[in-house]
Amino acid sequence: MPTSDSDRSLSGLYVILDPSVCPDRSLTDVLKEAITAGARLFQYRNKSASMKESYVEALVLRQVALEAGVTFIVNDRCDLALAVNADGVHLGQGDLPLDLARKLMGWDKLIGISTHNPDQVREASAGKPDYLGFGPIFKPASKQDHDPVVGLEGLRTIRRLTSLPVFAIGGIQIDQAGDVLRAGANGVAVISAVLKAPDICYTVKSFLAQMPGSIAPAS
């Protein structure tokens, strides 16, 4: 199973690093600023680059994360996650099945799965991933072809269906983070809210202020 250090990371703020969302900003700078502000969990997502381009970009980010002692997960691709020795992989509904991903990644790596409705939550939970993403809670700013918005009520509904850590995602702003956690999420995954923020450090700190216990890494 994943290490206890990784287990402690599965709550709070989850920052998704996607270059398409902030083309004029260096992802490395974003990562460093967010780490400085207290974020401890990151995902690299690049759906348009070639494998070689993604590898070069992810490797730099992985090294920064490793030196800072924060968790670094790769979106969709087990091969890329293994190539850069990421802490895990996050799978969408159209990606490699969980059992095959686990064979490739091993039990020492984290595996998360995106879910969008109760049936997907039940199915994913049965396979015993390390955590679930669930949403979109609100209308996403970073995605046009998103699944139907589920709202806070949808989150409350699926909370009863799984004991796994759940990260809510989709259009969540600072002033909504507390409501999302109270509706049952263990953490909040954000993309545009951080990557497009005028002041990344201030924004990350503001999110973490809504999440008691998340500002400092667990001891």
Side-chain angles (χ1 to χ4, degrees):
M1 295 296 289
T3 65
S4 58
D5 285 343
S6 293
D7 288 341
R8 287 197 294 266
S9 298
L10 295 178
S11 64
L13 186 66
Y14 189 172
V15 180
I16 299 177
L17 303 168
D18 185 332
S20 70
V21 176
C22 57
D24 299 326
R25 249 180 177 158
S26 160
L27 285 188
T28 304
D29 290 345
V30 172
L31 175 59
K32 288 178 178 178
E33 288 184 51
I35 290 171
T36 298
R40 287 290 175 270
L41 180 58
F42 297 87
Q43 179 189 130
Y44 170 68
R45 184 180 81 174
N46 191 334
K47 294 181 179 290
S48 61
S50 69
M51 178 60 175
K52 184 175 181 179
E53 291 168 337
S54 295
Y55 171 74
V56 170
E57 190 169 50
L59 192 61
V60 174
L61 296 171
R62 172 54 177 151
Q63 190 58 39
V64 172
L66 192 62
E67 291 173 358
V70 300
T71 302
F72 183 75
I73 290 171
V74 167
N75 180 265
D76 290 350
R77 303 194 61 156
C78 294
D79 54 352
L80 180 58
L82 290 171
V84 302
N85 193 27
D87 295 302
V89 68
H90 184 87
L91 303 173
Q93 288 293 312
D95 293 327
L96 202 63
L98 174 60
D99 58 340
L100 294 179
R102 183 61 78 190
K103 287 179 182 178
L104 286 172
M105 300 296 295
W107 284 101
D108 61 330
K109 300 293 188 181
L110 295 166
I111 298 181
I113 297 182
S114 290
T115 59
H116 313 288
N117 59 55
D119 287 342
Q120 290 176 358
V121 169
R122 290 188 189 94
E123 182 178 355
S125 297
K128 296 183 171 56
D130 296 287
Y131 71 90
L132 301 178
F134 182 72
I137 307 301
F138 308 113
K139 183 176 174 55
S142 63
K143 211 173 184 182
Q144 299 304 314
D145 58 339
H146 57 80
D147 287 85
V149 171
V150 297
L152 293 175
E153 193 52 46
L155 177 58
R156 292 188 189 99
T157 297
I158 67 96
R159 179 70 277 178
R160 299 189 288 268
L161 303 178
T162 183
S163 60
L164 293 170
V166 173
F167 285 91
I169 188 170
I172 301 168
Q173 302 300 316
I174 294 166
D175 60 354
Q176 298 165 320
D179 290 338
V180 170
L181 294 181
R182 284 187 287 274
N186 298 88
V188 171
V190 295
I191 309 172
S192 297
V194 167
L195 269 59
K196 290 186 174 181
D199 186 330
I200 290 173
C201 281
Y202 173 81
T203 300
V204 168
K205 287 180 179 179
S206 296
F207 266 109
L208 291 173
Q210 307 299 316
M211 305 173 188
S214 296
I215 294 178
S219 58

